[in-house]
């Protein structure tokens, strides 16, 4: 999947989304029990909202771990992990595009 939102829509209850390092310009909306885990082994996973909120949690249960939520990712990027500045994914409310390679940035691990 190219975006967290697309991967989340493709999940079933209790699936785990593994998010690769990078900056994601989108809002995460958790509407069913699931885990969203940042894979921080090679860098940070930064969520910068496309609107006012980075995360809506509307499920009865779930887990979010290893994500950095911020309004301006450049402030976070300047603190550490200079390798992140070259890997960015974007999503607008009407379409999605990626300025990184065509590989998937989000994977789903079914339980």
């Amino acid at each position: 999947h190219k975006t967290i939102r697309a991967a989340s829509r493709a999940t079933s209850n209790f699936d785990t989304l593994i998010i690769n390092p990078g900056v994601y310009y989108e809002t995460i909306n958790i509407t069913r029990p699931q885990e969203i885990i940042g894979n921080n082994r090679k860098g940070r996973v930064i969520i910068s909202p496309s609107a006012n909120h980075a995360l809506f949690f509307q499920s009865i249960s779930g887990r979010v771990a290893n994500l950095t939520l911020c309004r301006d990712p450049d402030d976070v990027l300047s603190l550490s992990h200079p390798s992140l500045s070259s890997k960015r994914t974007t999503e607008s409310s009407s379409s999605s595009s990626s300025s990184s390679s065509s590989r998937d940035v989000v994977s789903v691990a079914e339980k």
Side-chain angles (χ1 to χ4, degrees), residues 39-72:
N39 181 2
N40 288 333
R41 291 186 183 137
K42 295 185 180 181
R44 271 194 199 164
V45 177
I46 298 173
I47 310 300
S48 182
S50 55
N52 293 329
H53 304 284
L55 176 68
F56 285 105
F57 196 94
Q58 301 172 326
S59 176
I60 58 170
S61 67
R63 179 175 175 245
V64 177
N66 301 329
L67 303 179
T68 300
L69 310 177
C70 67
R71 287 224 186 261
D72 186 356

Side-chain angles (χ1 to χ4, degrees), residues 8-26:
S8 182
R9 286 183 190 150
T11 64
S12 298
N13 288 349
F14 305 106
D15 283 350
T16 299
L17 279 71
I18 307 298
I19 314 301
N20 288 325
V23 178
Y24 298 83
Y25 293 96
E26 59 183 287

Side-chain angles (χ1 to χ4, degrees), residues 4-109:
I4 299 168
R5 182 179 292 163
S8 182
R9 286 183 190 150
T11 64
S12 298
N13 288 349
F14 305 106
D15 283 350
T16 299
L17 279 71
I18 307 298
I19 314 301
N20 288 325
V23 178
Y24 298 83
Y25 293 96
E26 59 183 287
T27 298
I28 300 171
N29 190 4
I30 300 173
T31 59
R32 67 176 138 264
Q34 62 184 208
E35 291 184 311
I36 299 179
I37 310 297
N39 181 2
N40 288 333
R41 291 186 183 137
K42 295 185 180 181
R44 271 194 199 164
V45 177
I46 298 173
I47 310 300
S48 182
S50 55
N52 293 329
H53 304 284
L55 176 68
F56 285 105
F57 196 94
Q58 301 172 326
S59 176
I60 58 170
S61 67
R63 179 175 175 245
V64 177
N66 301 329
L67 303 179
T68 300
L69 310 177
C70 67
R71 287 224 186 261
D72 186 356
D74 290 331
D75 290 341
V76 175
L77 291 173
S78 66
L79 297 175
S80 63
H81 300 291
S83 63
L84 282 178
S85 60
S86 64
K87 186 186 295 180
R88 295 178 166 233
T89 63
T90 60
E91 178 180 68
S92 67
S93 59
S94 60
S95 65
S96 46
S97 63
S98 174
S99 60
S100 63
S101 68
S102 61
R103 68 179 183 79
D104 288 346
V105 294
V106 180
S107 60
V108 177

